[in-house]
Amino acid sequence: MSFGEPNNPYNSPPQQPPGGGAGAPGYGYPQQPGQGYQQGVPQQGYGYPQAPPVGGYGPQFGAPGMPTLAHWGLRVVGTIIDGIIIGLPYYVLAIPGAIMSSNGNSSGPILVLVGALAAIGLAIWQLYMEGSTGQTIGKKAIGIRLLKEADGSTLGFWFALGRRICHIVDSIACYLGWLWPLWDSKKQTFADKICSTVVVRSR
């Protein structure tokens, strides 16, 4: 027997794998990663709808490794501190001004006006800080921060102003909205729910 004879096993053409076409998977043929289907499990590819993450999109505040939601007491203390900071210059100037005005002193109304302008300026500055950093002076003092619920980013000045206006809704129905964080799962006021914001611990 020579190597050129037709029945020479060393000269026979390569056998096609079972299944017909070249490269078709079959018994003993190695599978390429990601090819084919596992029994009963559809394979995902381009155009296949992906399932959303459990719990929805965005950060899950309060979950392990994520910022903890601030409880109602901390929010109240922060609001009180902010109110004192905004109101103190006004009362320091307005009360003496009112007394002076009642005694006929023309400087009295000027003091009242300066006090009012100081309070307005402080309120705007606090709102700017809340929108850009998530913290007013009061929030920073007790370690809480206001953020967007969707992605954990800060609000910006105009969004923070809109949320402040939405606090009107919290005062409707005997101020129920201000108390809502006491039992709400996300510890949100009505304004927070309208604007999709949360207040979290920052330390």
Side-chain angles (χ1 to χ4, degrees):
M1 179 184 299
S2 66
F3 288 104
E5 294 179 357
N7 57 353
N8 187 347
Y10 295 99
N11 198 32
S12 58
Q15 298 295 320
Q16 292 287 341
Y27 296 106
Y29 195 87
Q31 296 281 340
Q32 295 295 327
Q35 287 187 348
Y37 291 84
Q38 296 179 9
Q39 185 173 1
V41 181
Q43 302 298 303
Q44 297 185 357
Y46 295 109
Y48 196 96
Q50 303 290 324
V54 177
Y57 297 98
Q60 302 300 305
F61 293 104
M66 296 297 295
T68 303
L69 294 168
H71 61 74
W72 183 78
L74 288 175
R75 299 181 63 161
V76 170
V77 174
T79 301
I80 292 174
I81 294 174
D82 289 335
I84 292 173
I85 291 172
I86 293 173
L88 186 60
Y90 172 75
Y91 289 110
V92 167
L93 295 173
I95 292 176
I99 296 174
M100 292 169 64
S101 296
S102 64
N103 294 330
N105 191 323
S106 60
S107 299
I110 296 176
L111 285 178
V112 174
L113 178 60
V114 171
L117 292 175
I120 293 172
L122 281 171
I124 294 174
W125 179 70
Q126 288 264 64
L127 193 60
Y128 170 77
M129 294 299 296
E130 186 175 53
S132 59
T133 69
Q135 293 181 307
T136 59
I137 294 176
K139 285 182 171 65
K140 187 173 182 178
I142 60 173
I144 61 177
R145 188 183 300 271
L146 174 67
L147 301 172
K148 291 181 181 178
E149 183 182 359
D151 55 10
S153 64
T154 53
L155 276 61
F157 176 79
W158 294 109
F159 201 135
L161 176 61
R163 176 181 175 274
R164 193 66 59 91
I165 294 173
C166 286
H167 276 312
I168 296 173
V169 180
D170 292 324
S171 300
I172 298 175
C174 301
Y175 301 94
L176 180 63
W178 296 102
L179 301 175
W180 205 259
L182 284 169
W183 52 78
D184 186 70
S185 61
K186 295 181 180 179
K187 299 183 177 8
Q188 292 174 308
T189 62
F190 293 162
D192 287 322
K193 292 187 177 297
I194 293 171
C195 299
S196 297
T197 56
V198 290
V199 179
V200 301
R201 299 288 297 270
S202 60
R203 64 186 183 197

